[in-house]
Amino acid sequence: MIKKKMFIDGKWVDSLSGKTIQIVDPGKNEAIAEVPLGDREDARRAIAAARKAFDEGEWKNTTPTERGRMVSMLGDLVEKHRQELAELESLDTGKTVTESLWDMDDIAGIFRYYGELADKDSGEIIASPVPNSSSMVVHEPVGVCGQISPWNYPLLQASWKMAPALAAGCTIIMKPSEITPLTTIRITELAQEAGFPRGVVNMVTGPGYTAGAELSENHDVDLISFTGGIETGRKIIKAASGNVKKLALELGGKNPNIIFEDADFDTAADYVLNGVFFHAGQICSAGARVMVHSSLHDRLVKFLVDRIGRIKVGYGFDKDTQMGPLISRDHLEKVEKYVGIGQQEGARLEIGGARPDPAKYPELQKGFYFMPTLFTGCTNDMKIVQEEIFGPVITIEKFETEDEAVRRANDTVYGLSAGFWTRDPDRIGRVSKALKFGTVWINDFNVYFTQAPWGGYKQSGIGRELGKTGLEEYMEIKHIYQNYDTKPLNWFGK
Ligand code: NAD
């Protein structure tokens, strides 16, 4: 059993209450670790340390180049411990080790990207409209940042927040999901090795409704960066209003994947599977909502039923596993509930829709496994089409015209990402402009990289992570104006 602590003000500590949380391997439903159950008071101690380090410590006198070097070093440390971190992530989340290794490569790149960007910002000189004056714009770190992350990509999501915040010169309190804290604990150990001064990096393990809520409400926190569900996002917006914190929110998505009649069918159909079944569909940008032109519908369904029937569901550490378990029993029950709703709504269950059959998969009965699932006959007024199921469930809708496809794709409260498949250059121009999503993929799906911004339109979030914008989220903008010709104006009371 792994036993770990929280990191506050440069020290590894237990929770003040002495209570702990058990961390479970979702592939076997066995306890693998014990971490402190931090609550509001633990979060307050971490906030006080981060405040002191920001206001008084040596951190505020580090140059951007020195900060960049430390952030880049974290990238090197992630690469050095790539295998160990990937295995820890798979143990904690259930995803295949291959997927976790991809995550670690991305994460090393994220730290290096922001490390290199740290000293490239040169502000701006403005052509002042006032004679004998100068005007310049400088960027300064926002301050103390609370960073709350979800369970689906624990270290990847933490790194999207940690790397730019530290490169910008902020101090941070990370709060990983209480379900999957292990790799965030490990990266905090590596941050210690990289040499960040005391109080700059803090990490509290504990539930959202106590530790997370304190970070969102506390007036000594200047910015809250949150990735998670939309309902939690709403609570955080309210909690952050007390001191009008800066907010960066990455919320859910229900992402249409549209196949037009002139698509390269074989590639598009294959990508329907890639778009959904990585990490058992527990991806904010999963292309779970497939929309297909009626002329290709039957061919697509036949193709998908055949391929879905051959997906190898299993334990994330087994070499031939293609899809691992869901994260928890609660989440498994939520996905099952949606399958029931889909059937009540009149959608047709083509394949899957259940836990693995005990006769066929006796080894998968303890973990939180769910078979890949396909619904056809779906319409955009159905709950299974509109709501985020966050599991291995595809819904298929038919359409006749381009206008209809775009109108229906946009008919969602979410706006994270969308993709479409066509060979027509004019259609590419029209449809990419018409779709109201933060990312639009053409002839591809689920591609993101560090250099380009990521985030949502509408209720999928506020602000952007990644790219240069991801760094700007952690910067205040200051205009500095100087008058070179000081003399009285003699305007009032003369
Ligand atoms: P969640 O909202 O339940 O929890 C996310 C985090 O918020 C956890 O650390 C949790 O402890 C904390 N939290 C819970 N209640 C809180 C409160 N009242 N105050 C402060 N913090 C609180 O989400 P989840 O189930 O862990 O993650 C799945 C969700 O994350 C999905 O909706 C998914 O779409 C979303 N997500 C979005 C992106 C993106 O880039 N937009 C990326 C990954 C995941």
Side-chain angles (χ1 to χ4, degrees), residues 269-316:
D270 181 56
Y271 267 72
V272 167
L273 301 161
N274 301 332
V276 181
F277 294 127
F278 283 119
H279 198 14
Q282 302 168 111
I283 306 184
C284 54
S285 55
R289 182 181 179 196
V290 174
M291 302 176 66
V292 62
H293 188 266
S294 60
S295 62
L296 297 176
H297 176 270
D298 294 355
R299 197 173 153 202
L300 180 70
V301 173
K302 190 165 175 290
F303 171 93
L304 291 176
V305 168
D306 174 49
R307 289 278 294 269
I308 288 173
R310 289 189 275 142
I311 292 176
K312 292 190 181 65
V313 178
Y315 192 53

Side-chain angles (χ1 to χ4, degrees), residues 148-153 157 160 175-179 206-209 212-213 216 226-230 232-233 235-236 250-253 283-284 388 390 416 454 460 465:
I148 303 175
S149 39
W151 49 257
N152 62 336
Y153 282 81
Q157 296 300 326
W160 288 14
K175 201 217 68 72
S177 164
E178 57 276 39
I179 308 177
Y209 63 88
S216 319
F226 166 78
T227 303
I230 199 163
T232 318
K235 286 185 195 156
I236 288 179
E250 296 286 351
L251 307 177
I283 306 184
C284 54
E388 194 182 37
F390 224 56
L416 189 59
W454 176 260
S460 283
E465 293 191 295

